[in-house]
């Protein structure tokens, strides 16, 4: 039986599906829910100047680091507000829910949080990357599946096949 469910979510289009699956399972098992969002400086829309020191890597950013710091702070704040909304939504549906936003490498952070929070199961989405894309970008769900101390439920996202996208794009151009 699941008593503590950790839900690793990002801001992707299928996060809602992952969230809904987690809420359904939590309701069915009367479990507590922990929503976890991991900010990674390399994966987000803003680069955290403290990690990459853009003034050293990119001299043209000299003097603009406060602009990037403000952007990073806004991103963190926006994501916290998003987590609060999801937490409130789950709570209104009768699920005991809390949330955490951490910064770091998502793979390790999810496994560490699950262990520290004593989760019975981790629910995570899968983006559906294949081939070179998966090799270059990695797979958080694959890492968690192989390194978590507990069970893992992977919610399949939309499968991304670049060849199929290219063929679709070609058809649209021909018929467009």
């Amino acid at each position: 039986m699941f008593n503590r469910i950790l839900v690793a979510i990002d801001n992707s289009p299928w996060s809602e599906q992952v969230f809904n699956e987690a809420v359904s399972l939590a309701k069915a098992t009367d479990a507590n829910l922990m929503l976890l969002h991991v900010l990674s400086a390399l994966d987000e829309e803003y680069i955290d100047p403290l990690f990459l020191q853009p003034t050293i890597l990119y001299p043209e950013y000299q003097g603009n680091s406060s602009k990037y710091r403000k952007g990073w702070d806004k991103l963190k704040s926006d994501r916290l507000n998003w987590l609060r909304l999801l937490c409130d939504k789950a709570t209104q549906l009768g699920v005991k829910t809390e949330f955490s936003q951490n910064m770091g490498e998502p793979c390790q952070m999810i496994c560490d949080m699950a262990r520290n929070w004593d989760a019975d199961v981790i629910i995570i989405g899968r983006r559906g990357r294949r081939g070179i894309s998966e090799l270059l970008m990695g797979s958080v769900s694959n890492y968690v599946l192989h390194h978590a101390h507990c069970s893992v439920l992977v919610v399949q996202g939309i499968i991304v096949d670049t060849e199929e996208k290219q063929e679709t794009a070609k058809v649209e151009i021909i018929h467009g």
Side-chain angles (χ1 to χ4, degrees):
M1 176 81 60
F2 299 126
N3 296 310
R4 297 171 70 83
I5 301 171
L6 176 70
V7 188
I9 53 175
D10 57 12
N11 201 29
S12 65
W14 48 88
S15 285
E16 186 175 348
Q17 181 183 357
V18 174
F19 172 77
N20 290 336
E21 293 285 339
V23 169
S24 293
L25 183 60
K27 285 178 75 172
T29 60
D30 195 31
N32 292 340
L33 208 58
M34 168 64 79
L35 305 176
L36 173 64
H37 178 64
V38 180
L39 289 171
S40 173
L42 298 176
D43 291 339
E44 299 299 335
E45 22 188 292
Y46 297 99
I47 296 173
D48 187 343
L50 296 177
F51 280 119
L52 295 184
Q53 299 177 354
T55 56
I56 294 170
L57 294 175
Y58 306 103
E60 65 271 18
Y61 291 132
Q62 187 71 34
N64 289 331
S65 63
S66 66
K67 173 185 166 188
Y68 293 98
R69 168 46 80 198
K70 287 178 185 174
W72 182 252
D73 289 343
K74 181 175 178 353
L75 177 70
K76 290 192 297 186
S77 176
D78 290 348
R79 298 289 169 86
L80 272 174
N81 290 334
W82 170 67
L83 279 172
R84 280 186 191 97
L85 289 172
L86 290 176
C87 184
D88 291 345
K89 183 177 178 181
T91 301
Q92 289 172 0
L93 293 169
V95 177
K96 295 176 209 149
T97 308
E98 54 189 301
F99 66 90
S100 178
Q101 177 169 274
N102 298 335
M103 200 161 99
E105 201 284 312
C107 298
Q108 188 64 46
M109 191 64 65
I110 293 166
C111 290
D112 288 348
M113 182 66 152
R115 194 176 307 102
N116 293 337
W117 191 65
D118 198 26
D120 299 311
V121 65
I122 299 169
I123 299 180
I124 188 168
R126 181 176 181 275
R127 293 183 180 198
R129 289 191 179 113
R130 292 182 175 173
I132 301 263
S133 176
E134 183 176 12
L135 180 66
L136 294 175
M137 300 299 289
S139 172
V140 174
S141 59
N142 188 46
Y143 180 94
V144 170
L145 190 61
H146 288 92
H147 293 89
H149 82 287
C150 60
S151 297
V152 177
L153 172 64
V154 179
V155 178
Q156 178 64 50
I158 301 165
I159 295 180
V160 176
D161 189 346
T162 54
E163 289 178 21
E164 189 176 302
K165 278 185 175 181
Q166 289 173 352
E167 287 178 22
T168 304
K170 287 178 190 174
V171 170
E172 290 174 0
I173 291 169
I174 293 168
H175 297 298

